[in-house]
Structures are given as C-alpha cells and as structure tokens.
Amino acid sequence: MINLLIMGKPGAGKGTQAKKILRHYHLAHISTGDIYREEMRKESPIGLIAKQYVSRGELVPDDMTNDIVEEVLHTHKYPNGFMLDGYPRTRAQAEALDCNLARLGLKLTAVINVDINDEVLMHRMAGRRVCPNCQATYHVANHPPQVPGICDVCGHELIQREDDKETSVLNRLRIYNKMTKPLIDYYREKGLLLVVDGDLPVNTVFKEICKGIEEK
Ligand code: AP5
C-alpha cells in the first residue's frame, strides 16, 4: 500500500503529476480542489460556501475541509493506497490528517513537494485551460489540445478557471507562502519529504517522483 501526499505552489503541476502517479501505482485520488470544483458546479450548499473563497483565491475554512476529507477517508476503501492532492494546506489540516490516519491505522509513505519558481508559475496559470466535464488539464503553449479549445478526452469545450485570473493567482501565492509553505518543514522533520524540481518537463518530473517513491 502506498499513501502519498502531493504539495506545491498553485500551478506547480500537482494535478498533472497526480494523474500520472495514480495510473502508475493504481491509487485513489483525493483532491480537495477537485471536490470543491465539483460541489461548485452542482451549486450544492458546500459549493456555494466554497465559491466565496475559491474565486478570491482564498482557502476554504479548515473545519469544512477537514470534515470532507475525514468523510472520504473513512467511507472509501483504498486497496492499493491513495494520493492526497492539495490537502493539507495549513498546520491545522496537517494535524487533523495525522489524527485521521492514526484512527484508521494508516501511514503516509512520502510527501512530494513539487518546487517551481514564481515566474514559471505565472506563465503556467495564464495558459492553463481545463475541461469542466472530465477535469483534463491543458496549457495553450506547453500542452495544447489537438483542436484548440476542445478537450481531447471527451470533446467538451475548455475553460479558464475563475481563480486563474492574475489577481487571484497572486493572492493564492501569498496565502501559500504564509499558510502552506511551513508544512514543508513539518513533513521534513517526519522524514517523509521528497522534493522534485517542477520546472523540468512533465515526464522528467514524473520519473524523479517514481525514483523517490521507490527509494522510500
Ligand atoms: P487546487 O485545485 O488544489 O489549486 P492549487 O493548489 O492552486 O493548484 P492548481 O490546481 O492551480 O495547480 P496544480 O499544481 O495542480 O497544477 P497543474 O497540474 O494544473 O485548489 C483550488 C482552490 O480550492 C484553492 O485555491 C482553495 O480555495 C480551495 N481548496 C482546495 N484545497 C483546499 C484545502 N485543503 N483547504 C482550503 N481550501 C482548499 O498545472 C498547471 C499548468 O501547468 C497546466 O496548464 C499544466 O498543463 C502545466 N504544467 C504542469 N506541469 C508542467 C511541466 N512540468 N512543464 C510544463 N507545463 C506544466
């Protein structure tokens, strides 16, 4: 069983790498960003609350996020393990996760930190396009779809995420530095941290991650 956590700045490539790692190790994907986007699409009570925060690039309150992850972890089965993507993002979330994993008798295998510089990040966010139907991710220059504006996987029209506008990205980065970056030391002290250079091409980053996981 392999239980992973992937973290990094907004646009570091967490979602891109998560999808490749899941396929490779047959893991379940638990992405709080995807969960919130799906709830917002459905306009559920959770989605309506989350929208106020996500659209401004702010974090959804810890209590709500911790409750969602707790429910997911306790109600699903993970025969090969799971990958948490975008959670935890605060010290309170990291401590809540520790409690939940202890109650379930589970341990993290590794925490992957995808590291990129801020200039690369701004370029990636500006060019990112996503499929609102199947969540496939593209980049207008680095990873364009075969037909401009159309998803290769399901044929749906691609969109730009509301929180990929420049002011929202800058806010997400500010919040990352204040709230999430300290978790790098939190997991380094636990001996779980695996740092990869996210500026490298997608497949090179993926190979580095696999190599690090095998070593762990
Ligand atoms: P979330 O969806 O988790 O957003 P994020 O962390 O900001 O990360 P992104 O999804 O923006 O980027 P990514 O790192 O996955 O990059 P990607 O692979 O797409 O969360 C969204 C919001 O939900 C949060 O702001 C918050 O409001 C709320 N939320 C979520 N979790 C929460 C929590 N735990 N607590 C509270 N609130 C929470 O790649 C980006 C682009 O770059 C793509 O176009 C891709 O094609 C391209 N690319 C990727 N890798 C490479 C590469 N190596 N080379 C070239 N291009 C690349």
Side-chain angles (χ1 to χ4, degrees):
M1 196 180 204
I2 300 176
N3 297 322
L4 301 172
L5 196 161
I6 191 160
M7 57 187 291
K9 292 174 189 169
K14 300 182 291 295
T16 302
Q17 294 302 326
K19 284 181 191 121
K20 292 175 80 69
I21 297 163
L22 304 176
R23 278 199 297 272
H24 190 71
Y25 292 108
H26 308 285
L27 307 180
H29 190 200
I30 307 171
S31 159
T32 42
D34 284 353
I35 292 172
Y36 281 133
R37 278 185 286 280
E38 176 60 12
E39 295 297 327
M40 290 189 289
R41 191 188 63 75
K42 291 191 296 195
E43 297 188 335
S44 70
I46 286 177
L48 292 175
I49 296 171
K51 191 170 183 193
Q52 301 166 36
Y53 297 91
V54 175
S55 60
R56 293 199 297 259
E58 288 171 9
L59 295 182
V60 180
D62 284 339
D63 288 355
M64 192 161 103
T65 309
N66 285 334
D67 287 351
I68 290 170
V69 175
E70 181 174 349
E71 199 197 324
V72 173
L73 282 174
H74 286 260
T75 53
H76 292 71
K77 295 256 181 291
Y78 305 104
N80 300 312
F82 58 77
M83 160 155 285
L84 280 161
D85 170 3
Y87 179 92
R89 274 174 140 98
T90 65
R91 175 85 188 206
Q93 291 183 13
E95 288 170 356
L97 176 64
D98 287 347
C99 288
N100 276 314
L101 292 180
R103 272 163 50 206
L104 289 162
L106 296 173
K107 282 196 169 142
L108 290 173
T109 311
V111 174
I112 302 154
N113 180 38
V114 185
D115 194 24
I116 61 165
N117 77 48
D118 292 355
E119 258 174 52
V120 176
L121 173 159
M122 294 310 289
H123 169 74
R124 286 197 190 165
M125 307 301 261
R128 175 164 57 180
R129 298 294 178 270
V130 295
C131 176
N133 185 46
C134 72
Q135 271 73 53
T137 303
Y138 303 87
H139 188 279
V140 291
N142 302 341
H143 173 42
Q146 283 166 13
V147 178
I150 302 295
C151 179
D152 292 346
V153 181
C154 71
H156 201 282
E157 200 171 331
L158 302 178
I159 58 162
Q160 182 174 33
R161 269 170 47 176
E162 187 61 31
D163 59 346
D164 276 353
K165 310 261 161 72
E166 195 179 345
T167 47
S168 184
V169 172
L170 290 172
N171 201 28
R172 286 159 67 193
L173 186 56
R174 188 183 58 76
I175 290 171
Y176 167 86
N177 283 323
K178 188 170 167 211
M179 308 296 288
T180 310
K181 201 173 164 196
L183 296 185
I184 295 173
D185 284 339
Y186 183 84
Y187 287 114
R188 184 180 286 116
E189 280 160 22
K190 288 177 184 281
L192 290 169
L193 196 70
L194 172 60
V195 182
V196 290
D197 181 356
D199 292 351
L200 298 171
V202 171
N203 284 332
T204 312
V205 179
F206 175 62
K207 280 185 195 146
E208 285 296 305
I209 291 175
C210 292
K211 198 170 131 217
I213 292 172
E214 312 289 327
E215 283 168 11
K216 291 266 175 201

